[in-house]
Amino acid sequence: MSNIEQTLSIIKPDAVERNLDNEIKEVFKNKGFSIVKEKKIQIEKSEAERFYKVHETKPFYNDLCAYLSSGPIVVMILQKENAVLGNRELMGATNPVEAEEGTIRKKYGISIDKNSVHGSDSIDNAKIEIDFFFKD
Ligand code: CMP
């Protein structure tokens, strides 16, 4: 039975700044993801704080929100069979030094903060995160 899902992907400021957004979009497409919607935007720190609210008690929360709002990002709705898990596998571990060969964070990530991409970690969060950026 098919299980088509949608998930939210963000190409983070470090990757957009290095003009890697088109190359990273090709990685997704070559792995069978459709990009259903996308936009290049820059968000306010207050919006980043709302987006990453689940991390608000973490010591890295302030830097994380400052970073996500520091430059343009590309937000995308990705779709394919089992998209949530597939995207997480394609991204690799949060820390690029721990990410496996062939993953986006291994190839493009600079550090645990500048790890080039974000992806929803569950189907429920995918819905919330898609609505966050694309609710009309
Ligand atoms: P992301 O998948 O966007 O979700 C939260 C982000 O916090 C994560 O990627 C990292 O870029 C960032 N981060 C910074 N420090 C840590 C840490 N110690 N553990 C997890 N995430 C971290």
Side-chain angles (χ1 to χ4, degrees), residues 57-74:
T57 59
K58 310 271 174 61
F60 55 83
Y61 178 65
N62 185 58
D63 286 350
L64 173 63
C65 297
Y67 169 62
L68 193 72
S69 56
S70 68
I73 58 176
V74 176

Side-chain angles (χ1 to χ4, degrees), residues 22 24-35 38:
N22 283 329
I24 291 175
K25 285 193 301 196
E26 286 306 308
V27 174
F28 287 121
K29 289 190 229 168
N30 289 339
K31 289 284 179 183
F33 289 91
S34 321
I35 301 174
E38 63 171 287

Side-chain angles (χ1 to χ4, degrees), residues 97-136:
V97 298
E98 291 164 11
E100 287 184 31
E101 281 306 328
T103 63
I104 292 174
R105 285 167 169 165
K106 173 75 179 182
K107 184 162 185 194
Y108 302 108
I110 295 169
S111 65
I112 194 163
D113 303 295
K114 298 184 173 183
N115 62 356
S116 300
V117 282
H118 166 84
S120 311
D121 65 0
S122 67
I123 293 173
D124 286 349
N125 280 337
K127 291 193 176 78
I128 292 167
E129 293 184 354
I130 286 169
D131 273 359
F132 185 92
F133 283 110
F134 291 101
K135 198 159 188 139
D136 311 302

